[in-house]
PDB file of all heavy atoms in Angstrom:
ATOM      1  N   ALA A  54     113.679  28.536 -61.410  1.00 84.00           N
ATOM      2  CA  ALA A  54     113.863  28.952 -62.796  1.00 84.00           C
ATOM      3  C   ALA A  54     113.562  30.425 -62.923  1.00 84.00           C
ATOM      4  O   ALA A  54     112.808  30.969 -62.114  1.00 84.00           O
ATOM      5  CB  ALA A  54     112.941  28.147 -63.707  1.00 84.00           C
ATOM      6  N   PHE A  55     114.191  31.065 -63.927  1.00 84.00           N
ATOM      7  CA  PHE A  55     113.897  32.469 -64.190  1.00 84.00           C
ATOM      8  C   PHE A  55     112.577  32.547 -64.926  1.00 84.00           C
ATOM      9  O   PHE A  55     112.103  31.537 -65.461  1.00 84.00           O
ATOM     10  CB  PHE A  55     115.034  33.089 -65.040  1.00 84.00           C
ATOM     11  CG  PHE A  55     116.277  33.347 -64.237  1.00 84.00           C
ATOM     12  CD1 PHE A  55     117.390  32.535 -64.385  1.00 84.00           C
ATOM     13  CD2 PHE A  55     116.324  34.416 -63.338  1.00 84.00           C
ATOM     14  CE1 PHE A  55     118.544  32.774 -63.641  1.00 84.00           C
ATOM     15  CE2 PHE A  55     117.482  34.643 -62.605  1.00 84.00           C
ATOM     16  CZ  PHE A  55     118.579  33.827 -62.738  1.00 84.00           C
ATOM     17  N   PRO A  56     111.958  33.713 -64.987  1.00 82.00           N
ATOM     18  CA  PRO A  56     110.675  33.834 -65.670  1.00 82.00           C
ATOM     19  C   PRO A  56     110.752  33.351 -67.121  1.00 82.00           C
ATOM     20  O   PRO A  56     109.764  32.874 -67.667  1.00 82.00           O
ATOM     21  CB  PRO A  56     110.388  35.335 -65.607  1.00 82.00           C
ATOM     22  CG  PRO A  56     111.145  35.822 -64.417  1.00 82.00           C
ATOM     23  CD  PRO A  56     112.351  34.951 -64.290  1.00 82.00           C
ATOM     24  N   ASN A  57     111.914  33.438 -67.758  1.00 83.00           N
ATOM     25  CA  ASN A  57     112.007  32.971 -69.145  1.00 83.00           C
ATOM     26  C   ASN A  57     112.187  31.461 -69.237  1.00 83.00           C
ATOM     27  O   ASN A  57     112.350  30.903 -70.318  1.00 83.00           O
ATOM     28  CB  ASN A  57     113.151  33.683 -69.867  1.00 83.00           C
ATOM     29  CG  ASN A  57     114.480  33.465 -69.161  1.00 83.00           C
ATOM     30  OD1 ASN A  57     114.573  32.637 -68.237  1.00 83.00           O
ATOM     31  ND2 ASN A  57     115.507  34.189 -69.581  1.00 83.00           N
ATOM     32  N   GLY A  58     112.207  30.740 -68.090  1.00 82.00           N
ATOM     33  CA  GLY A  58     112.244  29.294 -68.112  1.00 82.00           C
ATOM     34  C   GLY A  58     113.643  28.725 -67.919  1.00 82.00           C
ATOM     35  O   GLY A  58     113.784  27.548 -67.658  1.00 82.00           O
ATOM     36  N   HIS A  59     114.661  29.600 -67.974  1.00 85.00           N
ATOM     37  CA  HIS A  59     116.026  29.092 -67.731  1.00 85.00           C
ATOM     38  C   HIS A  59     116.220  28.762 -66.289  1.00 85.00           C
ATOM     39  O   HIS A  59     115.658  29.432 -65.421  1.00 85.00           O
ATOM     40  CB  HIS A  59     117.062  30.121 -68.194  1.00 85.00           C
ATOM     41  CG  HIS A  59     117.055  30.315 -69.680  1.00 85.00           C
ATOM     42  ND1 HIS A  59     118.039  31.036 -70.367  1.00 85.00           N
ATOM     43  CD2 HIS A  59     116.210  29.878 -70.632  1.00 85.00           C
ATOM     44  CE1 HIS A  59     117.769  31.021 -71.642  1.00 85.00           C
ATOM     45  NE2 HIS A  59     116.642  30.325 -71.832  1.00 85.00           N
ATOM     46  N   LEU A  60     117.004  27.676 -66.076  1.00 87.00           N
ATOM     47  CA  LEU A  60     117.250  27.223 -64.717  1.00 87.00           C
ATOM     48  C   LEU A  60     117.945  28.323 -63.926  1.00 87.00           C
ATOM     49  O   LEU A  60     118.792  29.049 -64.467  1.00 87.00           O
ATOM     50  CB  LEU A  60     118.140  25.964 -64.752  1.00 87.00           C
ATOM     51  CG  LEU A  60     118.340  25.284 -63.393  1.00 87.00           C
ATOM     52  CD1 LEU A  60     117.113  24.488 -62.993  1.00 87.00           C
ATOM     53  CD2 LEU A  60     119.578  24.392 -63.445  1.00 87.00           C
ATOM     54  N   ALA A  61     117.569  28.445 -62.679  1.00 87.00           N
ATOM     55  CA  ALA A  61     118.181  29.469 -61.843  1.00 87.00           C
ATOM     56  C   ALA A  61     118.869  28.810 -60.655  1.00 87.00           C
ATOM     57  O   ALA A  61     118.402  27.795 -60.150  1.00 87.00           O
ATOM     58  CB  ALA A  61     117.095  30.420 -61.338  1.00 87.00           C
ATOM     59  N   VAL A  62     119.981  29.411 -60.275  1.00 88.00           N
ATOM     60  CA  VAL A  62     120.680  28.937 -59.073  1.00 88.00           C
ATOM     61  C   VAL A  62     120.623  30.078 -58.058  1.00 88.00           C
ATOM     62  O   VAL A  62     121.169  31.152 -58.280  1.00 88.00           O
ATOM     63  CB  VAL A  62     122.154  28.568 -59.405  1.00 88.00           C
ATOM     64  CG1 VAL A  62     122.878  28.169 -58.126  1.00 88.00           C
ATOM     65  CG2 VAL A  62     122.221  27.464 -60.421  1.00 88.00           C
ATOM     66  N   THR A  63     119.869  29.821 -56.976  1.00 90.00           N
ATOM     67  CA  THR A  63     119.722  30.879 -55.954  1.00 90.00           C
ATOM     68  C   THR A  63     120.873  30.775 -54.974  1.00 90.00           C
ATOM     69  O   THR A  63     121.246  29.678 -54.543  1.00 90.00           O
ATOM     70  CB  THR A  63     118.391  30.714 -55.202  1.00 90.00           C
ATOM     71  OG1 THR A  63     118.258  29.362 -54.830  1.00 90.00           O
ATOM     72  CG2 THR A  63     117.228  31.135 -56.047  1.00 90.00           C
ATOM     73  N   LEU A  64     121.442  31.948 -54.659  1.00 90.00           N
ATOM     74  CA  LEU A  64     122.570  31.979 -53.751  1.00 90.00           C
ATOM     75  C   LEU A  64     122.149  32.651 -52.455  1.00 90.00           C
ATOM     76  O   LEU A  64     121.415  33.646 -52.463  1.00 90.00           O
ATOM     77  CB  LEU A  64     123.727  32.738 -54.393  1.00 90.00           C
ATOM     78  CG  LEU A  64     124.172  32.264 -55.774  1.00 90.00           C
ATOM     79  CD1 LEU A  64     125.355  33.106 -56.291  1.00 90.00           C
ATOM     80  CD2 LEU A  64     124.569  30.807 -55.744  1.00 90.00           C
ATOM     81  N   ASP A  65     122.663  32.082 -51.377  1.00 90.00           N
ATOM     82  CA  ASP A  65     122.272  32.611 -50.058  1.00 90.00           C
ATOM     83  C   ASP A  65     123.521  32.683 -49.196  1.00 90.00           C
ATOM     84  O   ASP A  65     124.571  32.158 -49.563  1.00 90.00           O
ATOM     85  CB  ASP A  65     121.232  31.663 -49.434  1.00 90.00           C
ATOM     86  CG  ASP A  65     120.494  32.321 -48.296  1.00 90.00           C
ATOM     87  OD1 ASP A  65     120.770  33.503 -47.976  1.00 90.00           O
ATOM     88  OD2 ASP A  65     119.603  31.635 -47.705  1.00 90.00           O
TER      89      ASP A  65
END
Side-chain angles (χ1 to χ4, degrees):
Chain A
F55 285 106
N57 58 10
H59 293 190
L60 187 77
V62 176
T63 47
L64 306 181
D65 197 0

